[in-house]
Amino acid sequence: MPRLTQFRICPHSRSIRLALGELGIDHDTAEERPWDWRPAFLELNPAGSLPVLQTDEGTVVAGAYAVSEFLAETADTGARATALFPGDAAARAEIRRLVDWFHVKMDAEVTGELLRERLYPRLQTKLAGYTPDLALIRAVKSNLRYHLGYIDHLADQRSWLAGDELSFADLAAAAHLSCIDYLDEMPWDAHTVAKDWYAKIKSRPSFRTLLADRVPGLPPPMHYGDLDF
Amino acid sequence: MPRLTQFRICPHSRSIRLALGELGIDHDTAEERPWDWRPAFLELNPAGSLPVLQTDEGTVVAGAYAVSEFLAETADTGARATALFPGDAAARAEIRRLVDWFHVKMDAEVTGELLRERLYPRLQTKLAGYTPDLALIRAVKSNLRYHLGYIDHLADQRSWLAGDELSFADLAAAAHLSCIDYLDEMPWDAHTVAKDWYAKIKSRPSFRTLLADRVPGLPPPMHYGDLDF
């Protein structure tokens, strides 16, 4: 069975968990804390980034970019499976533009910073008493409003973010929003179009394991797991 | 004829210029200064990132990730063209892992910072007299040594960075090194394996236009264009 090394509140890991769910691929998971930099994990992925997929044949696929494309190339997509990059070359280019938007741009401007300030220190004994950088968090929240505005715009014009079909762009975007929502930082009321799109994704079976995730000592807000939030 | 909007000393733009060269695809180029955030350019690519490829059919492909995969899917690769992602799914996953390494990780840790500190301010009148952040540049140079050490390691074990064949991973890595070399920040003498690999790439016809690039008022070091550096 393939094995996914991941961290439960990591947007890149979550996008691949969603992809595996949509493709109907059974897998084991192993958890890796991104700040540990364990030598054994760095041997698997020298970049230290998550997630990493190991196949039954021993192939190691590191990082959401490589894993998503690998799954798209190799998954036995039956009639019921979701294609990660559906459509023609132009449609696929649009999906990839948006994956890059969420997994690189939004990660740098919002999600990564928020996790490093608000979540990781809570899980490290040596950082007990860590005081988040409030100026940074203010900037991140402002960036978040810009990104949600862009999701509003896309979801207003299209059935799914990249076009008529659900794609890995939706999974990547939803993975980021789900991490931010876990930290109760989503201004849902100001972004009702994005909220409706997220509710649609959130109700898919592939989302269930994400909604069941809990970080000890840091519970999500009540609405986090609620499909009718 | 396809049109590539790019900036001459941008690693992402350069990797695609190399890819177009290797694929033998004639194209026009338009230059966009990454710090201008021109509304007309943001209409083309709301992320504001480079490069952007526009096809004869009017398809807009934004960002090195989408463009590289688009070219790999659509290019009419004759016998003489280089495949950007050669090999089986596992080999392609390794190429993509490394593309991500250079275009995201190395960009964040080295190239992007160096360009923002050392190049962009020189080209903006309103930033005349800008003093680079020396502590940041020291950190970036330390990161650079780590990345070059990794290239040494890969090039020592393999013919090309991702395996036996030249791939987009080599083009991405070389694009970054070429920008850093333009700024005369490459400690070549300490990284002779990486240097030999770079010399091999640098001598390819696809590299010629990169070596001819000049930024007014900021000439590259003598060895920049020298194939026998």
Side-chain angles (χ1 to χ4, degrees), chain A residues 37 45-47 59 61-63 65-66 68-70 73-74 85 89-90 92-93 96-97 99-101 104-105 146 150, chain B residues 37 45-47 59 61-63 65-66 68-70 73-74 85 89-90 92-93 96-97 99-101 104-105 146 150:
Chain A
W37 296 91
N45 181 12
T59 300
V61 186
Y65 165 33
S68 61
E69 296 283 351
F70 181 84
E73 286 183 0
T74 60
F85 301 94
R92 293 156 68 86
R96 291 179 174 122
R97 173 181 80 83
V99 169
D100 207 34
W101 181 294
V104 180
K105 182 178 171 69
Y146 154 76
Y150 192 52
Chain B
W37 297 90
N45 181 11
T59 301
V61 186
Y65 165 34
S68 61
E69 297 284 351
F70 181 84
E73 286 183 1
T74 60
F85 301 95
R92 292 156 68 86
R96 290 179 175 122
R97 173 181 79 83
V99 169
D100 208 34
W101 181 294
V104 180
K105 182 179 171 69
Y146 154 76
Y150 191 53

Side-chain angles (χ1 to χ4, degrees), chain A residues 8 17 30 40 46 53 97 101 127-128 144 174 180-182 187 212 219:
Chain A
R8 67 189 86 175
R17 288 166 62 196
L53 183 75
R97 173 181 80 83
W101 181 294
L127 292 184
L144 173 58
I180 300 165
D181 197 31
Y182 190 98

Side-chain angles (χ1 to χ4, degrees), chain A residues 174 177-178 181 188 194-202 207 229:
Chain A
L177 265 51
S178 72
D181 197 31
W188 286 122
K195 185 181 177 182
D196 288 346
W197 160 83
Y198 185 70
K200 207 164 56 163
I201 284 246
K202 193 175 172 178
F207 226 93
F229 64 116

Side-chain angles (χ1 to χ4, degrees), chain A residues 97 150 153, chain B residues 37-48 52 54 60 62:
Chain A
R97 173 181 80 83
Y150 192 52
H153 166 75
Chain B
W37 297 90
R38 287 191 313 119
F41 177 63
L42 293 176
E43 263 181 51
L44 206 58
N45 181 11
V52 176
Q54 290 168 276
V60 176

Side-chain angles (χ1 to χ4, degrees), chain B residues 8 91 157 195:
Chain B
R8 67 189 87 175
Q157 312 219 324
K195 185 181 176 182

Side-chain angles (χ1 to χ4, degrees), chain B residues 86-171:
Chain B
D88 62 12
R92 292 156 68 86
E94 176 65 359
I95 295 164
R96 290 179 175 122
R97 173 181 79 83
L98 290 174
V99 169
D100 208 34
W101 181 294
F102 296 109
H103 269 353
V104 180
K105 182 179 171 69
M106 185 173 184
D107 190 59
E109 294 172 357
V110 181
T111 327
E113 297 286 4
L114 209 50
L115 291 174
R116 275 187 295 275
E117 287 297 319
R118 295 266 337 267
L119 181 65
Y120 295 0
R122 299 283 296 264
L123 301 174
Q124 293 169 271
T125 321
K126 66 176 181 192
L127 292 183
Y130 177 82
T131 313
D133 179 336
L134 293 180
L136 177 59
I137 287 183
R138 261 196 306 278
V140 161
K141 285 187 181 184
S142 162
N143 294 342
L144 174 59
R145 289 191 291 274
Y146 154 76
H147 283 276
L148 290 175
Y150 191 53
I151 294 175
D152 280 338
H153 166 76
L154 293 170
D156 193 41
Q157 312 219 324
R158 302 166 168 179
S159 311
W160 295 97
L161 296 189
D164 291 339
E165 290 182 73
L166 173 82
S167 75
F168 190 58
D170 296 283
L171 306 185

